[in-house]
Amino acid sequence: MSDRAPTSPVSRERSREIKRLSVILAARQARLLSRVDLAEMTGLPAATVTALVRELIAEGYLIERGPGAPTTGRPREMLEFNPRAELVAAVSLEPPRISCEIADSEGAIIAHRTARFGGDVVETVCTFVLDLVGDNLPSLRGVAIAVPGVSTNGAVRLAPSVGLVEAWPIGESVQQRLGVPVVVDNDVNLMAAGECVAGAGADVANLLLIHVADGIGAGLVLDGKVRRGASGAAGEVGFMPVDAAPARSYSGVGEFEARWSVNAITERLVALHPGRRPESPVRELIQLAATSKPAREYLDEVLDAWARLILSCVCVIDPGMVLLSGAAAELDDAALEQIQSLLAAKTPAPTEVRRATLGDQAVLHGAISYALSAAVPLPSLP
Amino acid sequence: MSDRAPTSPVSRERSREIKRLSVILAARQARLLSRVDLAEMTGLPAATVTALVRELIAEGYLIERGPGAPTTGRPREMLEFNPRAELVAAVSLEPPRISCEIADSEGAIIAHRTARFGGDVVETVCTFVLDLVGDNLPSLRGVAIAVPGVSTNGAVRLAPSVGLVEAWPIGESVQQRLGVPVVVDNDVNLMAAGECVAGAGADVANLLLIHVADGIGAGLVLDGKVRRGASGAAGEVGFMPVDAAPARSYSGVGEFEARWSVNAITERLVALHPGRRPESPVRELIQLAATSKPAREYLDEVLDAWARLILSCVCVIDPGMVLLSGAAAELDDAALEQIQSLLAAKTPAPTEVRRATLGDQAVLHGAISYALSAAVPLPSLP
DNA sequence: CCCACTTTTTTCTCAGTAGGAAGAAACTGT
DNA sequence: ACAGTTTCTTCCTACTGAGAAAAAAGTGGG
């Protein structure tokens, strides 16, 4: 796209798109508002707003909802933004499973399906999306595909631990088949985006989300935009160096996550308290720490290590807000307070640590925000 | 600015600014080009370009330089971009010293002055800038002020080590006095910006610059834009945790820089090789390591620590390129190769390590790029 | 030296538009 | 019932984006 000859930055086509997007974004944010409100929020003159609103009503984006609150003067005609005018497909690839949800721009799920797949992934994704969206295809604005590895330019280069082939441009193939924009990204990045637009981070423009599961990864949002880095590997914090670790080459599993991920915590828990492997080892460890001194000491080690990981990240990017996700979201208030204290003692910038709140819904909301941003990609101004 | 009522995103004023900026940016980049080139680079139609060029010639931005290379057809009239049409003041505050340079947009210095100051900083800065710019005041596009601490929104919150007062909105005061945009930032951030536009990082959009001096700090550029973080503390990598460090509260000096900055290296060098404190301790250490086993071992420790610092940063943001500045730029090829190898063994993403090339000029070029970006601040589109 | 051809630059032209102003509509309050 | 206020719509026009045409300035061949 960027290697095409540039079109005029002030063309009538572009001007029209800018006005439409201004109104759509204002309406999407406010949900219920009048033409006067739209004029104030966008800076467009009243005559222009009238014409745009007429158009968007005809297209189903806006619905007239009757008079506003009684005041002096002509009552406002309230307009409701219709999230069903913009549908998004959120696809999650966790080989051998694929799941797909169709949601409106508010996150309400309209249809979903989960299945195993082993054939052609592009074919499967397209079939799922088309089946689920059905007659609403004209309202489909974009597709977001979550993968558990590193993606660069829509080609997936997955972590060896989940064993999909490398250099696989599924995004472009799906986009050609479906005719809408398709974005592919790491699922932790999508979680960060989701929490930023609709979760624990909805009130900030910068945040770091740390997700602890079998691995440890992070999603970084700066100025409301997910940052992936030069090779799509931003947030691979599981590879943080641990001083005492033995030197070894790249193996797909990072030093830090080898010692402090859910797998490592589970191993240690079973050693401390022989029995069945717990479903939620972090929660289990916290409970055990109340009565067992060795468990208490180990919990302190874990919290100290996670606090140092957070501190390392804060030193680099100063996000102001850190969200803990996955197993790390299971920490109780005391543990959270402990991490906050460890951090406060050494951090160069005030940093608030919160639990992520969306859980399984984070990826969906992230996918929605991605797909809607991709749907009208206004080229950058000079 | 962002709390003002928005103006129309498609107004004629805005349209005019966009066209002018498109042409100025294209000309600035190309330096010598024709109207046909301008039309191709900006997407503007030929008629529009003709009118804009006439205007910019009248204002001194462009100079007609005669026919281009002979080809079939009417010869092109070559236009040269005039960097003197855009002057920038780069101010460096290192209490008790202040220095000021006036440069054109290519970095050519027109005037400079250094002095001690102790009175009112705003008054001193304004006096310096006005004196140095003289009759060229109409060409002054902006002022950039470099400080050795953390700045947020033009207010300087300096590191305790250099002892200036906190919460000091010099940027706004200078802007009101001079009537041009003023930006204030940490000098390491300005170095990163400078290397990105005119130095070792001129061919990339993302980079991390690590500066080793009495402290250790970093500047981060993502998508061509310096990132400061939520509190302006991004890049405070001197505060990276070191596993073996004793716990202590925030003291203005970070764990990592306490052990691996120039001061620390100097102390260790004097212990290894009693004598005068060297001017360039890193260079000295490298020379000593060729003949002294303890020095060799210490050099390996330093390089390992710096490599781990770089690895920590790469895990978080994946810049693709790391520039070493200050004392770290003094590493020889062998040492650089050693860091590159240590990194390659553990990094999740390919990362190239280079020396910064601009040295003392980096802050100036950073200031130029800041001031020119601030000079025409097109508000973001929706 | 003249002419055909090519390419660049400038001028001409006009359908479309941004947005101010005026008018219509729909209320409240007296 | 009417004045006043506020919102929404229509009217109007100076301006503009950009395609097309014309003018300009070369080269190359005969």
Side-chain angles (χ1 to χ4, degrees):
Chain A
M1 184 69 72
S2 59
D3 57 346
R4 269 186 202 160
T7 57
S8 171
V10 294
S11 68
R12 291 188 175 155
E13 285 73 32
R14 183 185 169 89
S15 177
R16 202 174 302 126
E17 284 185 23
I18 289 169
K19 289 184 294 186
R20 270 180 66 90
L21 191 61
S22 292
V23 172
I24 288 174
L25 289 177
R28 192 191 286 157
Q29 178 194 333
R31 302 224 187 140
L32 187 72
L33 77 186
S34 68
R35 291 168 177 80
V36 168
D37 295 326
L38 279 170
E40 283 174 8
M41 290 171 78
T42 61
L44 292 161
T48 306
V49 169
T50 291
L52 286 161
V53 164
R54 177 179 300 124
E55 196 175 296
L56 293 172
I57 290 175
E59 291 177 34
Y61 276 90
L62 293 174
I63 303 170
E64 285 186 312
R65 282 300 187 213
T71 62
T72 302
R74 181 176 172 173
R76 301 179 169 192
E77 179 73 24
M78 302 311 290
L79 305 162
E80 184 179 10
F81 183 76
N82 177 21
R84 289 302 173 94
E86 324 178 286
L87 299 181
V88 155
V91 178
S92 187
L93 293 182
E94 294 180 30
R97 281 186 31 189
I98 174 177
S99 66
C100 176
E101 295 172 311
I102 305 294
D104 67 20
S105 62
E106 268 179 16
I109 296 173
I110 292 168
H112 71 91
R113 178 187 293 179
T114 300
R116 299 177 73 90
F117 78 103
D120 183 72
V121 174
V122 170
E123 185 63 35
T124 307
V125 168
C126 292
T127 302
F128 266 40
V129 170
L130 289 170
D131 280 355
L132 291 170
V133 82
D135 290 338
N136 293 316
L137 186 55
S139 300
L140 186 69
R141 297 285 167 263
V143 178
I145 302 177
V147 294
V150 170
S151 73
T152 308
N153 298 329
V156 179
R157 196 178 78 250
L158 297 176
S161 58
V162 296
L164 276 175
V165 299
E166 289 193 19
W168 182 22
I170 50 176
E172 197 176 309
S173 304
V174 172
Q175 184 162 323
Q176 282 170 357
R177 287 281 303 274
L178 296 182
V180 295
V182 176
V183 286
V184 182
D185 207 352
N186 173 266
D187 50 6
V188 179
N189 283 340
L190 285 155
M191 288 178 197
E195 294 282 347
C196 198
V197 298
D203 53 339
V204 294
N206 305 287
L207 68 74
L208 180 78
L209 179 140
I210 296 189
H211 185 73
V212 178
D214 292 343
I216 299 183
L220 174 63
V221 177
L222 298 178
D223 294 326
K225 183 181 172 189
V226 169
R227 308 288 164 171
R228 295 174 198 77
S231 305
E236 289 289 329
V237 296
F239 289 86
M240 279 284 183
V242 176
D243 282 8
R248 59 184 171 174
S249 292
Y250 180 84
S251 66
V253 178
E255 285 182 18
F256 189 89
E257 65 192 349
R259 289 191 62 181
W260 305 112
S261 68
V262 161
N263 287 342
I265 292 172
T266 301
E267 295 297 332
R268 186 62 181 271
L269 253 188
V270 166
L272 283 171
H273 195 73
R276 275 184 301 116
R277 298 172 79 86
E279 293 267 310
S280 302
V282 170
R283 191 174 287 128
E284 185 87 3
L285 174 58
I286 289 177
Q287 287 172 349
L288 203 57
T291 57
S292 162
K293 187 161 185 261
R296 175 75 247 175
E297 286 171 359
Y298 180 58
L299 177 59
D300 287 341
E301 283 182 49
V302 172
L303 298 180
D304 187 71
W306 287 358
R308 292 159 69 82
L309 177 67
I310 294 172
L311 176 61
S312 295
C313 296
V314 166
C315 288
V316 179
I317 51 175
D318 179 24
M321 160 92 49
V322 172
L323 301 185
L324 299 181
S325 172
E330 293 168 6
L331 295 177
D332 61 5
D333 287 347
L336 213 55
E337 189 57 39
Q338 189 171 333
I339 287 191
Q340 193 75 70
S341 295
L342 287 164
L343 201 58
K346 300 185 174 184
T347 186
T351 305
E352 181 179 353
V353 182
R354 294 179 187 171
R355 295 182 200 84
T357 51
L358 293 177
D360 290 339
Q361 291 297 300
V363 172
L364 173 65
H365 282 283
I368 292 169
S369 96
Y370 268 45
L372 292 180
S373 297
V376 188
L378 285 175
S380 301
L381 282 175
Chain B
M1 183 71 70
S2 58
D3 56 347
R4 268 186 203 160
T7 57
S8 172
V10 294
S11 69
R12 293 191 172 153
E13 286 73 31
R14 183 185 169 89
S15 177
R16 200 174 306 128
E17 283 186 24
I18 289 169
K19 289 183 295 184
R20 270 178 65 90
L21 191 61
S22 291
V23 172
I24 289 174
L25 289 179
R28 192 191 286 158
Q29 177 194 334
R31 300 220 187 145
L32 187 71
L33 76 186
S34 69
R35 291 168 179 79
V36 168
D37 296 326
L38 279 170
E40 283 173 9
M41 290 172 77
T42 61
L44 291 162
T48 306
V49 169
T50 291
L52 286 163
V53 164
R54 177 179 301 123
E55 194 174 296
L56 293 173
I57 289 176
E59 292 176 34
Y61 276 91
L62 293 174
I63 302 170
E64 284 185 312
R65 282 302 186 208
T71 63
T72 304
R74 180 175 171 175
R76 299 178 171 194
E77 179 72 25
M78 304 309 292
L79 305 162
E80 183 180 9
F81 183 75
N82 178 21
R84 289 299 173 93
E86 322 178 287
L87 300 181
V88 155
V91 178
S92 187
L93 293 182
E94 294 181 30
R97 281 187 31 190
I98 174 177
S99 65
C100 178
E101 295 172 310
I102 306 294
D104 67 20
S105 62
E106 268 179 15
I109 295 174
I110 292 170
H112 70 92
R113 180 186 293 178
T114 298
R116 301 177 71 91
F117 78 103
D120 182 72
V121 174
V122 170
E123 186 62 35
T124 307
V125 168
C126 293
T127 301
F128 267 39
V129 170
L130 290 170
D131 281 353
L132 291 169
V133 82
D135 290 339
N136 294 312
L137 186 56
S139 298
L140 187 69
R141 297 287 169 260
V143 177
I145 303 177
V147 295
V150 170
S151 74
T152 307
N153 299 326
V156 179
R157 196 178 77 249
L158 297 176
S161 59
V162 297
L164 276 176
V165 300
E166 288 194 18
W168 181 21
I170 51 176
E172 197 175 309
S173 303
V174 172
Q175 184 161 325
Q176 283 171 358
R177 286 283 303 274
L178 297 182
V180 295
V182 176
V183 287
V184 182
D185 206 351
N186 173 266
D187 51 5
V188 180
N189 284 340
L190 284 156
M191 288 177 197
E195 294 281 348
C196 197
V197 297
D203 53 340
V204 294
N206 304 288
L207 68 74
L208 179 78
L209 179 140
I210 296 189
H211 185 72
V212 177
D214 293 342
I216 300 184
L220 174 63
V221 177
L222 298 178
D223 295 326
K225 184 182 170 188
V226 168
R227 308 289 163 169
R228 296 177 198 73
S231 304
E236 290 289 329
V237 296
F239 289 86
M240 279 285 185
V242 175
D243 284 8
R248 59 182 171 175
S249 293
Y250 179 82
S251 66
V253 179
E255 286 181 18
F256 188 90
E257 68 192 346
R259 288 190 63 182
W260 304 111
S261 67
V262 162
N263 288 340
I265 292 171
T266 300
E267 296 297 334
R268 187 62 180 272
L269 252 187
V270 166
L272 282 170
H273 196 71
R276 275 182 302 116
R277 299 171 78 87
E279 294 268 311
S280 301
V282 168
R283 190 174 288 129
E284 187 86 5
L285 175 59
I286 287 176
Q287 287 173 349
L288 204 57
T291 57
S292 162
K293 188 164 183 254
R296 175 75 249 175
E297 286 171 358
Y298 180 58
L299 176 61
D300 287 342
E301 282 182 50
V302 171
L303 296 180
D304 188 71
W306 287 359
R308 292 157 70 82
L309 177 69
I310 294 172
L311 177 59
S312 295
C313 296
V314 166
C315 288
V316 178
I317 54 175
D318 181 23
M321 160 94 46
V322 172
L323 300 184
L324 299 181
S325 171
E330 293 168 8
L331 294 178
D332 62 5
D333 287 346
L336 213 55
E337 189 56 39
Q338 190 171 334
I339 287 191
Q340 192 75 71
S341 295
L342 287 165
L343 200 58
K346 301 185 175 185
T347 186
T351 305
E352 182 178 353
V353 181
R354 293 179 186 171
R355 295 180 200 87
T357 51
L358 293 176
D360 291 339
Q361 292 296 301
V363 172
L364 173 66
H365 282 282
I368 291 169
S369 95
Y370 269 44
L372 291 179
S373 296
V376 188
L378 285 176
S380 300
L381 283 176

